[in-house]
Amino acid sequence: MNRNKLTKRFLLLSAALTMALSQSAFAGETVALNLDDAMLRAFQTNPTVSIAQYELDSARASYNAARQSRGISISASHTTQRGGYDDAHQDITGLWTKGIGNNHANGLSASLPIFTGGKLKGNIKQAKANYQYNQVGVQRTYNEMRSTVTDGYFTMLQADNMQKLSAESVARLEDHLKNVQAQYDVGVVAKVDVLRSQVELADAKQTLIQAENSYQLAEASLNKIVGLPMDTNLKLDNLLVYNAYDKTMDDCLTYAAEHRPELMQAKYSVDAAKGALMVARSGHMPQVAASATQQWSDTSWPGDENGKWGVGVNVSMNVFDTGVTLSKIHGAEADLKKAEETYRNTVDSVNLDVRSNYLGLREAEKRIGTTKLAVEQADEDYRIAQLRYMSGVGTNTDVLDAQVALTQAKTNYTKALYDYNTSKTALETSIGVPMENPVTAVKVQAAKTAKAVKATEEKTEEAAK
């Protein structure tokens, strides 16, 4: 790859990120959008992704704090006081005085936990499980964002298809009405044929208005998902197509058992509950810590004279607290059982979710074949009904019925394609197919391209020497 191509590629990648950050620039304009572009924009602008990352950062900090609590802690203190007796009294010299004076004291103390009865271990276990839960939570957010963007994109495609089908129906009925009117003008057909055709055309126009409104709503919804102004006109590049899915039900269930984020999160919730139970039970155990102190005090600031030190072991144990610790243990045990039941319920829910989406996918797949054939048959039926009517051997009702059947057949085919694609996305989400952050991928690719451009420039400069 030559230098110009590398530079051009780098600029395109940089522009993709820049365009993804911009919102107001597209207000009222037309933006061409394919599914990959929509995904990139959503991951760049949707707050859900950022929220998940911040939650992970917070959990990581809590986990680090829990682990570091096993180490030594050192604190420093300083006290400055001025005081004396309320009433004067005789000192050892026989003088009457209130003994007013200053006192400055400084201290250093160090403490190291030796035995906590499982409290530290439980806190660490709980914090680690929470951190792992949020790690999976980021992946879950990515997967759900993919589903949200894809569904929004396909919904707009479907709305566009329905809008076009409605417009085709109106166009067919307008042409038919012209033929009926022409035949009525020469006295071949009755007035009732004209009136019936006009009523059908009015109904079709009403359906078209509703389809246009649905399209505008779908467009506004997709604009919101990808972070564009609501009045941006979108021109979608992808189409609703059929791509075969080759995995079996058992394949999907096995994959989901290993990759579904909700299952992993439910497991980590059980681990966190076990850690909380360890913390609760530590209330009945002795707490042992090593300590060391160094103190100074003086009547003159900063109080760094008269030093003294001490080292020792501190032991404390809760002997009686009217059942508070026991109640905490019972509560933690109940929370653990709840987490275990939640995990079991999650397993069943995931299995049901996978089965439902898989069966929905296969149902839509079968409908694609039957409805595609129905479209061909309905199209031929409409053509024959028109010819028969024009020849005077068919009725206006035959033509109108054939037109309704053709529109319905095309609608069913489009809906089958839509259901298949959305079911496929739902199935991938339900089994936990991981979604990578496209923003990160673009940045990595941009960095590689920049590095390649720099290397090419260096080679060119060396060759010129």
Side-chain angles (χ1 to χ4, degrees):
M1 187 178 290
N2 59 37
R3 178 182 174 184
N4 289 337
K5 287 184 177 179
L6 285 170
T7 304
K8 183 178 180 181
R9 188 176 179 186
F10 173 69
L11 291 174
L12 286 173
L13 289 168
S14 300
L17 283 175
T18 303
M19 295 289 277
L21 288 169
S22 175
Q23 296 186 29
S24 58
F26 300 105
E29 297 182 6
T30 299
V31 175
L33 202 66
N34 59 36
L35 188 54
D36 291 337
D37 294 334
M39 203 70 69
L40 178 63
R41 291 181 184 278
F43 270 80
Q44 183 63 57
T45 60
N46 198 295
T48 306
V49 175
S50 300
I51 291 171
Q53 187 59 54
Y54 291 140
E55 289 177 343
L56 176 60
D57 293 342
S58 176
R60 182 188 294 112
S62 297
Y63 179 38
N64 289 336
R67 289 188 299 173
Q68 292 158 355
S69 63
R70 293 176 299 185
I72 189 170
S73 60
I74 301 174
S75 60
S77 63
H78 171 82
T79 303
T80 294
Q81 290 182 328
R82 180 173 177 80
Y85 298 106
D86 292 338
D87 301 314
H89 69 287
Q90 280 185 312
D91 61 14
I92 57 175
T93 63
L95 296 176
W96 288 88
T97 178
K98 288 188 175 182
I100 296 175
N102 300 323
N103 183 63
H104 306 277
N106 295 282
L108 284 176
S109 63
S111 178
L112 178 67
I114 298 175
F115 179 76
T116 63
K119 182 177 182 180
L120 281 178
K121 187 177 180 180
N123 282 331
I124 294 172
K125 185 178 181 68
Q126 193 173 9
K128 181 181 180 180
N130 187 49
Y131 172 58
Q132 293 171 320
Y133 181 97
N134 282 278
Q135 273 186 313
V136 177
V138 171
Q139 184 61 66
R140 179 179 177 180
T141 299
Y142 289 173
N143 294 355
E144 291 175 349
M145 182 56 65
R146 173 187 57 200
S147 178
T148 299
V149 174
T150 305
D151 286 348
Y153 195 93
F154 286 159
T155 297
M156 184 175 169
L157 282 177
Q158 170 71 348
D160 186 37
N161 288 334
M162 296 307 299
Q163 182 179 238
K164 290 175 181 176
L165 287 177
S166 297
E168 287 178 8
S169 178
V170 169
R172 283 195 297 267
L173 287 169
E174 286 177 339
D175 290 340
H176 178 64
L177 179 59
K178 290 177 183 178
N179 293 332
V180 174
Q181 186 66 52
Q183 294 192 68
Y184 172 74
D185 291 341
V186 296
V188 176
V189 300
K191 179 69 173 177
V192 66
D193 284 1
V194 177
L195 294 175
R196 175 69 189 280
S197 299
Q198 289 173 336
V199 170
E200 291 292 334
L201 176 59
D203 287 343
K205 287 182 176 179
Q206 179 177 332
T207 301
L208 175 58
I209 292 172
Q210 293 172 338
E212 290 172 341
N213 183 65
S214 296
Y215 175 80
Q216 292 173 355
L217 289 174
E219 184 178 52
S221 177
L222 184 55
N223 277 326
K224 179 181 181 298
I225 292 171
V226 301
L228 287 172
M230 293 293 182
D231 58 348
T232 303
N233 299 314
L234 298 178
K235 183 180 179 182
L236 305 187
D237 292 344
N238 301 81
L239 299 173
L240 286 173
V241 294
Y242 168 71
N243 292 315
Y245 190 78
D246 57 357
K247 287 186 174 62
T248 65
M249 174 84 79
D250 289 339
D251 292 336
C252 293
L253 290 171
T254 301
Y255 191 93
E258 298 176 358
H259 296 88
R260 180 71 179 260
E262 287 89 330
L263 282 176
M264 288 184 275
Q265 286 185 314
K267 288 181 181 178
Y268 293 136
S269 293
V270 172
D271 291 341
K274 289 179 180 178
L277 180 57
M278 291 174 66
V279 173
R281 286 174 174 169
S282 70
H284 280 157
M285 303 295 289
Q287 308 293 306
V288 183
S291 64
T293 60
Q294 176 68 53
Q295 297 175 332
W296 301 267
S297 63
D298 195 0
T299 57
S300 299
W301 194 87
D304 54 356
E305 299 293 337
N306 304 315
K308 61 179 181 179
W309 60 271
V311 293
V313 175
N314 300 325
V315 181
S316 64
M317 183 173 180
N318 177 26
V319 178
F320 179 73
D321 60 4
T322 67
V324 172
T325 298
L326 187 60
S327 296
K328 289 181 179 180
I329 293 173
H330 290 163
E333 289 173 340
D335 288 339
L336 175 57
K337 291 178 182 178
K338 174 185 173 183
E340 291 172 340
E341 288 300 310
T342 299
Y343 173 74
R344 188 173 65 84
N345 184 60
T346 303
V347 171
D348 293 339
S349 297
V350 167
N351 286 338
L352 179 60
D353 194 24
V354 173
R355 290 178 183 277
S356 176
N357 288 318
Y358 186 87
L359 293 174
L361 175 77
R362 294 310 182 196
E363 178 211 350
E365 185 177 42
K366 294 175 183 177
R367 283 163 45 210
I368 289 173
T370 57
T371 55
K372 185 177 182 180
L373 178 61
V375 169
E376 297 173 358
Q377 295 170 337
D379 190 55
E380 179 65 13
D381 180 48
Y382 179 69
R383 187 185 66 81
I384 293 173
Q386 278 187 310
L387 291 175
R388 285 173 55 83
Y389 183 73
M390 294 297 293
S391 302
V393 295
T395 66
N396 184 49
T397 300
D398 292 337
V399 177
L400 294 178
D401 288 346
Q403 135 66 25
V404 171
L406 176 57
T407 300
Q408 187 61 51
K410 288 187 174 182
T411 299
N412 291 341
Y413 176 64
T414 301
K415 190 174 187 304
L417 281 174
Y418 171 77
D419 290 344
Y420 179 80
N421 281 275
T422 53
S423 294
K424 188 176 180 181
T425 301
L427 179 58
E428 289 181 345
T429 302
S430 67
I431 67 176
V433 175
M435 172 68 191
E436 293 184 5
N437 189 330
V439 177
T440 303
V442 169
K443 287 181 178 179
V444 170
Q445 186 59 49
K448 289 181 179 179
T449 304
K451 186 177 181 180
V453 169
K454 184 177 180 181
T456 303
E457 289 177 347
E458 290 175 352
K459 288 181 180 179
T460 303
E461 290 174 358
E462 223 165 282
K465 291 178 182 179

